[in-house]
Amino acid sequence: MTTQDLDAFAAWVEALMRDRGYDIDSPRGGGKSRIADEAGVHRAAVTRLLQRQSMPDLETTRRLARVLGVPVRDMLIRSGRLTAEELADPHDHLTSPSPGAEFGRRPTLEEVADLLGVPADRREMFVKVVEQFLPSETEVEVEIVAATARQGHSRADARIPVEAATGTSLSAD
């Protein structure tokens, strides 16, 4: 790690602290002690970072991320410890459609198995096991009716599109 990396990271963390209302500039403001207490870390670790003396250890970084309301992933990348490629966000695969894929659709279980690195010879078993834990389409539609009812709509208002979509009567006689 270079001095520039430490300086850039410390400046970013300082800005986050100020944005979150920590008075880290005045000697009697108590901001350094307050953030250290809230994060459950030693005040010296915060001071050393802000004075550009040393990078916090992994546990301190994790705790500061929580208190500052930023993902640990961002803290690790900004600190220069890991790159974005080394910390690939698994959610990127679920929100970014593959080439030729329909945007916004849910990935198939086969695609999920591929993303998780399930070996080809175990994919069929993976799909069978995971399917047991997924709600059926009827269960999902019943939950939609329940949620609609909780929002104050009548059962009939919610039931009509569900019955049309599933071909199933959801009457509660």
Side-chain angles (χ1 to χ4, degrees), residues 12-168:
W12 179 68
V13 171
E14 280 180 2
L16 288 172
M17 289 177 179
R18 286 186 188 105
D19 288 348
R20 290 353 180 234
Y22 294 98
D23 182 5
I24 58 171
D25 298 311
S26 68
R28 303 225 189 269
K32 293 175 195 169
S33 295
R34 192 174 119 225
I35 195 163
D37 289 345
E38 290 176 13
V41 301
H42 198 279
R43 184 180 186 276
V46 174
T47 300
R48 284 192 304 269
L49 171 62
L50 296 177
Q51 291 177 351
R52 278 72 167 164
Q53 293 174 349
S54 68
M55 187 68 71
D57 64 28
L58 184 59
E59 183 61 20
T60 300
T61 301
R62 186 185 67 75
R63 290 173 180 228
L64 287 173
R66 180 184 47 82
V67 169
L68 294 172
V70 298
V72 174
R73 178 180 190 278
D74 291 354
M75 292 283 276
L76 292 172
I77 292 169
R78 292 265 191 163
S79 71
R81 287 192 169 138
L82 295 168
T83 66
E85 293 76 30
E86 291 170 322
L87 283 175
D89 187 349
H91 297 101
D92 288 345
H93 297 293
L94 299 177
T95 57
S96 302
S98 57
E102 191 182 318
F103 183 74
R105 71 170 178 81
R106 293 179 79 170
T108 66
L109 291 178
E110 289 79 10
E111 291 170 331
V112 171
D114 185 48
L115 292 170
L116 293 173
V118 175
D121 62 326
R122 295 186 180 172
R123 291 218 176 142
E124 184 178 341
M125 181 59 71
F126 172 83
V127 169
K128 286 180 181 178
V129 170
V130 172
E131 281 177 338
Q132 295 176 23
F133 296 98
L134 296 176
S136 68
E137 287 184 30
T138 303
E139 290 171 321
V140 171
E141 297 298 336
V142 168
E143 181 54 35
I144 292 170
V145 170
T148 304
R150 285 191 298 268
Q151 293 174 357
H153 300 287
S154 75
R155 296 168 114 194
D157 292 342
R159 189 173 58 243
I160 293 168
V162 171
E163 289 176 355
T166 63
T168 306

